[in-house]
Amino acid sequence: MKKYNFSAGPAILPASVLKEAAKGVVNYQGSGLGLIELSHRGSEFSAVIEEATALMRELLELPDGYHVLWMTGGASSQFFMIPMNLLNPDETAVYIDTGTWANKAIKEAKAFGNIEVAASSKADNYNHIPKGVRISAKAKYLHITSNNTIFGTQYQRFPKSPIPVVCDMSSDMLSRPVDVRPFGLIYAGAQKNLGPAGVTTVIVREDMLGTVSRHLPSMLDYRTFSTNDSMYNTPPVFPIYVTMLTLRWLKKLGGTKAIQRRNKAKAKLLYQEIDANPMFLGTAAREDRSLMNACFVMAKGYESLEAEFLKETKENGLIGLKGHRSVGGFRASIYNAMPKKGVEALCELMRDFAVRKG
Ligand SMILES: *Cc1c(COP(=O)(O)O)cnc(C)c1O
């Protein structure tokens, strides 16, 4: 049976990328050696990281002045690295609290400077994105989370900000065109939309760096990565390789405009089914619904059928649909690599289930 992976992360990757990556692990381009046993300073891997960086630049349409860094420690390490590198103890940074990940970023940042939480949707269990937030021009940066993986909300328009925006794009990186110019720093763990776990992409504008007075250990200083092309130490060669293959796939598909069209079509199908089907209920505010993670629960009166529906999804090859414990119900992660057929299969099961159990 064809299986579709709806997991939130590590998540689905294009089948062609997995196939090629598997070949490269055993015998890279006919060299007789696997890519992950070759020196990271050798010509083979150098070509891989250079292509990954060039593709990232091209797909994001990065202007001059931005660095592409390949780091480790997950998006979670960026929660402390950002304030550590960008914020002095007497300076203020503004954060918008839109979910679990934003909240964790706030918690870590408090150790490094003054943190102002300008808005939060916590009281509504993060079911929407706060709008019309006034951002102080005196603060150093504004931190936002573009897609809230756990609660299924996403900024459809980024807030206007008089200061550089720092953005966690872990779960919607390269899922749509983004004008990067308001952003001083963008970061994303690879395992949601780019590749395997183990590499974190950081896009940082040169003028953001070198303004803090504290001592930064080499491996926690963005400049170590920007001045050494992310090769100061051994980079995570395999995750970078697979990410490069995914970026090639995305470029061939037509880049961010083309993938946005596909992502919109998939999300539309799924949300239409959630709205039309009397047995299911979407949990996020309509205008903030995520094109990447759709959260829904059993509608009133049908709660007792939750376990049964989840069991049927598995029996039908639809994997990873159990919702995060903070929302309950179901979460369908429909990242770039999820084919429309997968979403159609899920909608069909939902329809069929409602007819049989209604
Ligand atoms: C998954 C996720 C993280 C955490 O990523 P790690 O790489 O596991 O540290 C942070 N932010 C968002 C938006 C996420 O989806």
Side-chain angles (χ1 to χ4, degrees):
M1 185 201 314
K2 170 84 189 140
K3 290 204 173 171
Y4 292 104
N5 181 7
F6 288 90
S7 304
I12 186 168
L13 286 168
S16 61
V17 166
L18 291 181
K19 229 183 250 168
E20 171 120 29
K23 258 199 319 203
V25 165
V26 180
N27 182 359
Y28 185 66
Q29 294 188 339
S31 65
L33 295 175
L35 178 83
I36 56 178
E37 55 181 347
L38 295 170
S39 164
H40 63 291
R41 309 261 174 221
S43 59
E44 293 91 349
F45 183 72
S46 296
V48 168
I49 193 167
E50 276 167 28
E51 183 174 349
T53 303
L55 283 167
M56 186 61 82
R57 281 195 170 284
E58 182 182 344
L59 290 164
L60 282 172
E61 298 180 44
L62 280 188
D64 288 345
Y66 284 87
H67 300 287
V68 175
L69 315 180
W70 303 101
M71 304 186 67
T72 54
S76 298
S77 293
Q78 296 306 311
F79 296 164
F80 69 79
M81 274 200 69
I82 287 161
M84 193 181 205
N85 278 263
L86 306 186
L87 194 64
N88 281 302
D90 59 343
E91 293 175 327
T92 298
V94 178
Y95 279 65
I96 299 182
D97 177 21
T98 53
T100 309
W101 298 116
N103 207 272
K104 288 188 172 175
I106 291 165
K107 176 177 161 238
E108 296 298 312
K110 282 181 175 168
F112 297 95
N114 303 316
I115 301 305
E116 181 198 324
V117 180
S120 172
S121 47
K122 190 172 187 168
D124 300 310
N125 200 31
Y126 297 117
N127 68 358
H128 68 283
I129 303 267
K131 320 266 180 343
V133 186
R134 291 284 287 270
I135 309 300
S136 162
K138 290 199 198 90
K140 194 93 177 267
Y141 66 83
L142 163 68
H143 181 282
I144 58 171
T145 310
S146 74
N147 182 70
N148 298 283
T149 325
I150 291 176
F151 297 92
T153 63
Q154 183 179 29
Y155 277 96
Q156 299 309 334
R157 292 175 64 183
F158 291 112
K160 280 216 155 50
S161 171
I163 50 176
V165 182
V166 171
C167 189
D168 180 354
M169 287 195 193
S170 290
S171 51
D172 66 354
M173 185 75 159
L174 292 175
S175 68
R176 54 180 174 177
V178 168
D179 175 7
V180 300
R181 286 168 303 175
F183 296 92
L185 190 151
I186 292 168
Y187 63 103
Q191 70 274 20
K192 310 278 165 60
N193 222 4
L194 298 176
V199 69
T200 308
T201 306
V202 176
I203 311 295
V204 63
R205 209 169 59 206
E206 176 63 28
D207 65 280
M208 301 294 287
L209 304 177
T211 71
V212 293
S213 48
R214 71 174 60 83
H215 169 73
L216 297 168
S218 303
M219 284 301 289
L220 298 183
D221 185 339
Y222 289 126
R223 290 170 301 180
T224 303
F225 291 78
S226 64
T227 56
N228 293 287
D229 296 325
S230 305
M231 295 278 276
Y232 176 75
N233 77 323
T234 316
V237 294
F238 182 68
I240 292 173
Y241 169 54
V242 182
T243 300
M244 184 277 282
L245 294 177
T246 310
L247 297 178
R248 265 190 197 163
W249 169 84
L250 185 55
K251 181 180 171 180
K252 204 167 152 201
L253 215 88
T256 54
K257 281 203 186 79
I259 202 74
Q260 182 185 44
R261 271 198 302 277
R262 281 168 54 133
N263 288 336
K264 274 188 173 167
K266 286 184 297 180
K268 190 173 165 194
L269 260 184
L270 182 50
Y271 285 120
Q272 267 175 356
E273 183 57 40
I274 291 169
D275 291 340
N277 194 315
M279 234 174 238
F280 299 95
L281 186 70
T283 57
R286 276 168 199 251
E287 73 275 15
D288 300 327
R289 279 173 165 177
S290 166
L291 300 193
M292 298 280 99
N293 312 93
C295 296
F296 54 104
V297 295
M298 299 305 305
K300 218 172 156 56
Y302 297 109
E303 293 92 340
S304 61
L305 292 173
E306 183 176 312
E308 204 174 335
F309 180 70
L310 197 62
K311 186 165 157 269
E312 288 202 15
T313 59
K314 280 183 200 142
E315 287 165 1
N316 285 277
L318 311 175
I319 308 303
L321 282 157
K322 190 174 168 53
H324 189 275
R325 61 187 180 280
S326 28
V327 183
F330 316 100
R331 170 173 54 174
S333 297
I334 50 175
Y335 298 120
N336 285 354
M338 172 61 69
K340 193 168 171 202
K341 279 212 169 93
V343 177
E344 284 167 351
L346 174 58
C347 292
E348 200 180 307
L349 181 65
M350 290 166 75
R351 258 192 312 276
D352 181 60
F353 188 82
V355 170
R356 278 185 283 115
K357 308 285 173 181

